[in-house]
């Protein structure tokens, strides 16, 4: 009688294991059935914990379900963990009732094996909610970037309307006046044509100025782009004084931005760094940007380095200075531009 009973028990737990595997897949694939499949999955793994002294199978829903409930109200998570811990505690109680001396013989590995099932739901919940918060933050940043781009387009449209629009209206009026003077007072026509030519040249210079401004990146735009590139290369970017630097003159930001792109690109390509810090500061006489990485340093004056040569040339064109040196194991790049001068 013992062997058939034992065999029936084995078949029962085997059937329960198959049921768990089916339920695990259904919880993942069939969203509309989760109100039924999640409790059933917890029930099956809970039976293993209570009647089979198996606290490991219940870890699977302990990680899976909080991940699914990460975007749901917190109460659903609490309902789940209430049932989860009820099964774990019931299993320990039954284990003790069967053999009251069992806990006295436990080793540290046994305690560690029990500790992990107990913390799994909260670890999964914390990880999931952190991941969703990060995703929401990234979405907010993309929306903010879109708003900034829209505001910039509107600013450009206003500038074009207020400046070029008025100038072209003036050209139209002067052209019509010149046509009338051509028959009434021909001697005045050359003067009006000179005014038209002068206005056209001023408008052309204005267009070039607007185009040059559009080509210049702000420091915030550079850091937004380069932070993504650095993250892809597993380099952590930190900044100091960034908010104050975002208010620096546009021309200063444009020149620093070009040098900053070169400096951070060199960090990605050559430094083998884990972290890079960009510090912005301003004194009474100049603006300064310092880039420090914790990479391998080494030859800071590589022959034929276009990046270093480009940074030096841009700073010299703006009557500034460029310095590169070793800083501990890494490299320090210092860019400086004077205040009060057009760069």
């Amino acid at each position: 009688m013992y062997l058939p009973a034992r065999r029936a028990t084995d078949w029962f737990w085997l059937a329960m294991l198959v049921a768990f595997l089916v339920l695990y897949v259904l919880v993942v694939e069939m969203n509309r059935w989760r109100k039924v499949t999640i409790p059933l999955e917890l029930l099956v793994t809970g039976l293993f914990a209570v009647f089979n002294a198996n606290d490991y199978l219940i870890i699977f829903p302990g990680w899976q379900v909080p991940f699914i409930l990460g975007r749901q109200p917190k109460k659903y998570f609490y309902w789940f963990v209430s049932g989860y811990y009820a099964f774990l505690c019931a299993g320990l109680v039954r284990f003790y009732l069967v053999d009251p001396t069992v806990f006295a013989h436990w080793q540290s590995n046994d305690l560690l094996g029990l500790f992990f099932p107990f913390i799994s739901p909260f670890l999964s919940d914390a990880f999931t909610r952190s991941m969703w918060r990060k995703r929401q933050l990234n979405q907010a940043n993309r929306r903010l970037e879109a708003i900034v781009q829209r505001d910039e387009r509107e600013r450009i449209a206003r500038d074009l309307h207020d400046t070029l629009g008025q100038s072209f209206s003036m050209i139209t009026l002067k052209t019509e006046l010149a046509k009338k003077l051509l028959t009434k007072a021909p001697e005045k026509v050359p003067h009006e044509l000179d005014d038209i030519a002068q206005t056209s040249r001023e408008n052309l210079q204005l267009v070039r100025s607007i185009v040059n401004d559009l080509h210049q990146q702000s420091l915030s735009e550079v850091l937004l782009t380069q932070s993504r590139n650095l993250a892809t290369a597993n380099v952590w970017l930190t900044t100091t004084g960034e908010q104050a630097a975002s208010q620096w003159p546009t021309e200063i930001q444009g020149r620093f931005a070009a040098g900053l792109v070169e400096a951070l690109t060199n960090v990605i390509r050559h430094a083998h760094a884990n972290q890079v810090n960009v510090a912005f500061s301003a004194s009474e006489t100049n603006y300064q940007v310092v880039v420090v990485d914790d990479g391998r340093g080494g030859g800071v004056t590589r022959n034929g380095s276009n990046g270093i040569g480009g940074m030096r040339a841009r700073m010299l064109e703006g009557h500034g200075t460029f310095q590169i040196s070793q800083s501990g194991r890494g490299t320090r790049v210092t860019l400086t531009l004077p205040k009060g001068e057009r760069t």
Side-chain angles (χ1 to χ4, degrees), residues 206-253:
L206 179 60
V207 169
R208 289 173 177 169
S209 176
I210 293 175
V211 170
N212 289 335
D213 288 341
L214 291 176
H215 286 165
Q216 290 184 348
Q217 286 185 300
S218 69
L219 292 173
S220 297
E221 289 171 333
V222 168
L223 291 173
L224 179 64
T225 303
Q226 292 301 315
S227 64
R228 295 170 181 167
N229 297 337
L230 289 165
T232 302
N234 296 318
V235 181
W236 183 263
L237 172 66
T238 59
T239 63
T240 305
E242 179 181 348
Q243 184 174 1
S246 65
Q247 305 301 318
W248 289 355
T250 300
E251 296 175 358
I252 293 292
Q253 290 196 51

Coordinates of all heavy atoms in Angstrom, one line a residue, residues 206-253:
L206 N 22.0 89.9 -42.4 CA 21.2 89.5 -41.4 C 20.8 88.0 -41.5 O 20.9 87.2 -40.5 CB 19.9 90.3 -41.3 CG 18.8 89.9 -40.3 CD1 19.4 90.1 -38.9 CD2 17.6 90.8 -40.4
V207 N 20.6 87.6 -42.7 CA 20.3 86.1 -43.0 C 21.5 85.3 -42.6 O 21.4 84.2 -42.0 CB 19.9 85.9 -44.5 CG1 19.9 84.4 -44.8 CG2 18.5 86.5 -44.7
R208 N 22.7 85.8 -43.0 CA 23.9 85.0 -42.7 C 24.1 84.9 -41.2 O 24.5 83.9 -40.6 CB 25.1 85.7 -43.3 CG 25.2 85.5 -44.8 CD 26.3 86.4 -45.4 NE 26.4 86.2 -46.8 CZ 27.2 86.9 -47.6 NH1 27.9 87.9 -47.1 NH2 27.2 86.6 -48.9
S209 N 23.8 86.0 -40.5 CA 23.9 86.0 -39.0 C 22.9 85.0 -38.4 O 23.3 84.2 -37.5 CB 23.6 87.4 -38.5 OG 23.7 87.4 -37.0
I210 N 21.7 84.9 -38.9 CA 20.7 84.0 -38.4 C 21.1 82.6 -38.6 O 21.0 81.7 -37.8 CB 19.3 84.3 -39.0 CG1 18.8 85.6 -38.5 CG2 18.3 83.2 -38.6 CD1 17.5 86.1 -39.2
V211 N 21.7 82.3 -39.8 CA 22.1 81.0 -40.2 C 23.3 80.5 -39.3 O 23.3 79.4 -38.8 CB 22.5 80.9 -41.6 CG1 23.2 79.6 -42.0 CG2 21.3 81.0 -42.5
N212 N 24.2 81.5 -39.0 CA 25.3 81.2 -38.1 C 24.9 80.8 -36.7 O 25.4 79.9 -36.1 CB 26.3 82.3 -38.1 CG 27.1 82.5 -39.4 OD1 27.3 81.5 -40.1 ND2 27.5 83.7 -39.7
D213 N 23.9 81.6 -36.2 CA 23.3 81.3 -34.9 C 22.7 79.9 -34.9 O 22.7 79.2 -33.9 CB 22.3 82.4 -34.5 CG 23.0 83.7 -34.2 OD1 24.2 83.7 -33.9 OD2 22.3 84.7 -34.2
L214 N 22.0 79.5 -35.9 CA 21.3 78.2 -36.0 C 22.3 77.1 -36.0 O 22.1 76.0 -35.4 CB 20.4 78.1 -37.2 CG 19.2 79.0 -37.3 CD1 18.5 78.9 -38.6 CD2 18.3 78.7 -36.1
H215 N 23.5 77.3 -36.6 CA 24.5 76.3 -36.6 C 25.2 76.1 -35.3 O 25.8 75.1 -35.0 CB 25.6 76.7 -37.7 CG 25.1 76.4 -39.1 ND1 25.7 76.9 -40.2 CD2 24.0 75.8 -39.6 CE1 25.0 76.6 -41.3 NE2 24.0 75.9 -40.9
Q216 N 25.2 77.1 -34.4 CA 25.8 77.0 -33.1 C 24.9 76.3 -32.2 O 23.8 76.6 -32.0 CB 26.1 78.4 -32.6 CG 27.2 79.2 -33.3 CD 27.5 80.5 -32.7 OE1 26.7 81.0 -31.8 NE2 28.6 81.1 -33.1
Q217 N 25.5 75.3 -31.5 CA 24.8 74.6 -30.4 C 25.0 75.2 -29.1 O 26.1 75.8 -28.8 CB 25.4 73.1 -30.4 CG 24.9 72.2 -31.5 CD 25.4 70.8 -31.3 OE1 26.6 70.5 -31.2 NE2 24.5 69.9 -31.2
S218 N 24.0 75.1 -28.3 CA 24.1 75.6 -26.9 C 24.8 74.5 -26.1 O 24.9 73.3 -26.5 CB 22.7 75.9 -26.3 OG 22.0 74.7 -26.1
L219 N 25.3 74.8 -24.9 CA 25.9 73.9 -24.0 C 25.0 72.8 -23.6 O 25.3 71.6 -23.5 CB 26.5 74.6 -22.8 CG 27.7 75.5 -23.1 CD1 28.1 76.3 -21.8 CD2 28.9 74.7 -23.6
S220 N 23.7 73.1 -23.4 CA 22.7 72.1 -23.0 C 22.5 71.1 -24.1 O 22.3 69.9 -23.8 CB 21.4 72.8 -22.6 OG 21.6 73.7 -21.5
E221 N 22.4 71.6 -25.3 CA 22.2 70.7 -26.4 C 23.4 69.7 -26.6 O 23.2 68.5 -26.8 CB 22.0 71.5 -27.7 CG 20.7 72.3 -27.8 CD 20.7 73.2 -29.0 OE1 21.7 73.7 -29.4 OE2 19.6 73.5 -29.5
V222 N 24.6 70.2 -26.4 CA 25.8 69.4 -26.5 C 25.8 68.3 -25.4 O 26.0 67.1 -25.7 CB 27.1 70.2 -26.4 CG1 28.3 69.3 -26.2 CG2 27.2 71.0 -27.7
L223 N 25.5 68.7 -24.2 CA 25.5 67.8 -23.1 C 24.4 66.8 -23.2 O 24.5 65.6 -22.8 CB 25.3 68.5 -21.8 CG 26.5 69.4 -21.4 CD1 26.2 70.2 -20.1 CD2 27.7 68.5 -21.1
L224 N 23.2 67.2 -23.8 CA 22.1 66.2 -24.0 C 22.6 65.1 -25.0 O 22.3 63.9 -24.7 CB 20.9 66.9 -24.5 CG 19.7 66.1 -24.8 CD1 19.1 65.4 -23.5 CD2 18.6 66.9 -25.5
T225 N 23.2 65.5 -26.1 CA 23.6 64.6 -27.1 C 24.8 63.7 -26.6 O 24.8 62.5 -26.7 CB 24.0 65.3 -28.4 OG1 22.9 66.1 -28.8 CG2 24.5 64.3 -29.4
Q226 N 25.8 64.4 -26.0 CA 27.0 63.7 -25.5 C 26.7 62.7 -24.4 O 27.4 61.7 -24.2 CB 28.1 64.6 -25.2 CG 28.6 65.4 -26.4 CD 29.2 64.5 -27.4 OE1 29.9 63.6 -27.1 NE2 28.9 64.8 -28.7
S227 N 25.7 63.1 -23.5 CA 25.4 62.2 -22.4 C 24.9 60.8 -22.9 O 25.2 59.8 -22.3 CB 24.4 62.8 -21.5 OG 23.2 63.1 -22.2
R228 N 24.2 60.9 -24.0 CA 23.7 59.6 -24.6 C 24.9 58.8 -25.2 O 24.9 57.6 -25.0 CB 22.7 59.9 -25.7 CG 21.4 60.5 -25.2 CD 20.5 61.0 -26.3 NE 19.3 61.7 -25.8 CZ 18.5 62.4 -26.6 NH1 18.8 62.6 -27.9 NH2 17.4 63.0 -26.1
N229 N 25.8 59.5 -25.8 CA 26.9 58.8 -26.4 C 27.8 58.2 -25.3 O 28.3 57.1 -25.4 CB 27.7 59.8 -27.3 CG 27.0 60.3 -28.5 OD1 26.0 59.7 -28.9 ND2 27.4 61.5 -29.0
L230 N 28.0 59.0 -24.2 CA 28.8 58.5 -23.1 C 28.1 57.3 -22.4 O 28.8 56.3 -22.0 CB 29.0 59.6 -22.1 CG 30.0 60.7 -22.6 CD1 29.9 62.0 -21.7 CD2 31.4 60.3 -22.6
A231 N 26.8 57.4 -22.3 CA 26.1 56.3 -21.7 C 26.2 55.0 -22.5 O 26.4 53.9 -21.9 CB 24.6 56.6 -21.5
T232 N 26.2 55.1 -23.8 CA 26.4 54.0 -24.7 C 27.8 53.4 -24.5 O 27.9 52.2 -24.6 CB 26.2 54.4 -26.1 OG1 24.9 55.0 -26.3 CG2 26.4 53.2 -27.1
A233 N 28.8 54.2 -24.2 CA 30.1 53.8 -24.0 C 30.4 53.4 -22.5 O 31.5 53.2 -22.2 CB 31.1 54.8 -24.4
N234 N 29.3 53.4 -21.7 CA 29.4 53.0 -20.3 C 30.3 54.0 -19.5 O 31.1 53.6 -18.6 CB 30.0 51.6 -20.1 CG 29.0 50.6 -20.6 OD1 27.8 50.7 -20.4 ND2 29.5 49.6 -21.3
V235 N 30.2 55.3 -19.9 CA 30.9 56.4 -19.1 C 29.9 57.2 -18.4 O 29.0 57.7 -19.1 CB 31.8 57.2 -20.1 CG1 32.6 58.3 -19.3 CG2 32.8 56.3 -20.9
W236 N 30.1 57.5 -17.1 CA 29.1 58.2 -16.3 C 29.5 59.7 -16.4 O 30.7 60.1 -16.1 CB 29.2 57.8 -14.9 CG 28.2 58.4 -14.0 CD1 28.4 59.5 -13.2 CD2 26.8 58.1 -13.9 NE1 27.3 59.9 -12.5 CE2 26.3 59.1 -12.9 CE3 25.9 57.2 -14.4 CZ2 24.9 59.0 -12.6 CZ3 24.6 57.2 -14.1 CH2 24.1 58.1 -13.1
L237 N 28.6 60.6 -16.8 CA 28.8 62.0 -17.0 C 28.2 62.7 -15.8 O 27.0 62.6 -15.5 CB 28.2 62.5 -18.3 CG 28.2 64.0 -18.5 CD1 29.6 64.6 -18.6 CD2 27.4 64.4 -19.7
T238 N 29.0 63.6 -15.2 CA 28.5 64.5 -14.1 C 29.0 65.9 -14.5 O 30.0 66.1 -15.2 CB 29.1 64.2 -12.8 OG1 30.6 64.2 -12.8 CG2 28.7 62.8 -12.3
T239 N 28.2 66.9 -14.1 CA 28.5 68.3 -14.4 C 28.4 69.2 -13.1 O 27.7 68.8 -12.2 CB 27.5 68.9 -15.4 OG1 26.2 68.9 -14.9 CG2 27.5 68.1 -16.7
T240 N 29.1 70.3 -13.2 CA 29.1 71.3 -12.1 C 28.9 72.6 -12.7 O 29.7 73.0 -13.7 CB 30.5 71.2 -11.3 OG1 30.7 69.9 -10.9 CG2 30.4 72.2 -10.1
G241 N 28.0 73.4 -12.2 CA 27.7 74.7 -12.7 C 27.0 74.8 -14.1 O 27.0 75.8 -14.8
E242 N 26.3 73.7 -14.5 CA 25.7 73.7 -15.8 C 24.6 74.7 -15.9 O 24.4 75.3 -16.9 CB 25.2 72.3 -16.0 CG 24.5 72.1 -17.4 CD 23.9 70.7 -17.6 OE1 24.2 69.8 -16.8 OE2 23.1 70.5 -18.5
Q243 N 23.8 74.8 -14.9 CA 22.6 75.7 -14.9 C 23.1 77.2 -15.2 O 22.5 77.9 -16.0 CB 21.8 75.7 -13.7 CG 20.5 76.5 -13.7 CD 19.7 76.3 -12.5 OE1 20.0 75.5 -11.6 NE2 18.5 77.0 -12.4
A244 N 24.1 77.6 -14.5 CA 24.6 79.0 -14.7 C 25.2 79.1 -16.1 O 25.1 80.2 -16.7 CB 25.7 79.3 -13.6
A245 N 25.9 78.1 -16.6 CA 26.5 78.2 -17.9 C 25.5 78.3 -19.0 O 25.8 78.8 -20.1 CB 27.4 76.9 -18.1
S246 N 24.3 77.7 -18.8 CA 23.2 77.8 -19.8 C 22.8 79.3 -20.0 O 22.1 79.5 -21.0 CB 22.0 77.0 -19.4 OG 21.4 77.5 -18.2
Q247 N 23.2 80.2 -19.2 CA 22.8 81.6 -19.3 C 24.0 82.4 -19.9 O 23.9 83.6 -20.1 CB 22.4 82.2 -18.0 CG 21.3 81.5 -17.3 CD 20.0 81.4 -18.1 OE1 19.6 82.4 -18.7 NE2 19.4 80.3 -18.1
W248 N 25.1 81.8 -20.2 CA 26.2 82.5 -20.8 C 25.8 83.0 -22.2 O 24.9 82.5 -22.8 CB 27.4 81.6 -20.9 CG 28.1 81.3 -19.6 CD1 27.7 81.8 -18.4 CD2 29.1 80.3 -19.4 NE1 28.5 81.2 -17.4 CE2 29.4 80.3 -18.0 CE3 29.9 79.5 -20.2 CZ2 30.4 79.6 -17.4 CZ3 30.9 78.7 -19.7 CH2 31.1 78.8 -18.3
P249 N 26.5 84.0 -22.8 CA 26.2 84.5 -24.1 C 26.2 83.4 -25.1 O 27.0 82.5 -25.1 CB 27.3 85.6 -24.3 CG 27.7 86.0 -23.0 CD 27.6 84.8 -22.1
T250 N 25.4 83.6 -26.2 CA 25.2 82.6 -27.2 C 26.6 82.3 -27.9 O 26.9 81.1 -28.2 CB 24.2 83.0 -28.2 OG1 22.9 83.2 -27.6 CG2 24.0 82.0 -29.3
E251 N 27.3 83.3 -28.2 CA 28.6 83.1 -28.9 C 29.6 82.4 -28.1 O 30.4 81.5 -28.6 CB 29.2 84.5 -29.3 CG 28.3 85.2 -30.3 CD 28.8 86.6 -30.6 OE1 29.8 87.0 -30.0 OE2 28.2 87.3 -31.5
I252 N 29.6 82.7 -26.7 CA 30.5 81.9 -25.8 C 30.1 80.5 -25.8 O 30.9 79.6 -25.9 CB 30.4 82.6 -24.4 CG1 31.0 84.0 -24.4 CG2 31.2 81.7 -23.4 CD1 32.5 84.0 -24.7
Q253 N 28.8 80.2 -25.6 CA 28.3 78.8 -25.6 C 28.7 78.1 -26.9 O 29.1 76.9 -26.9 CB 26.8 78.8 -25.4 CG 26.4 79.2 -24.0 CD 25.0 78.8 -23.7 OE1 24.6 77.7 -23.8 NE2 24.2 79.8 -23.2

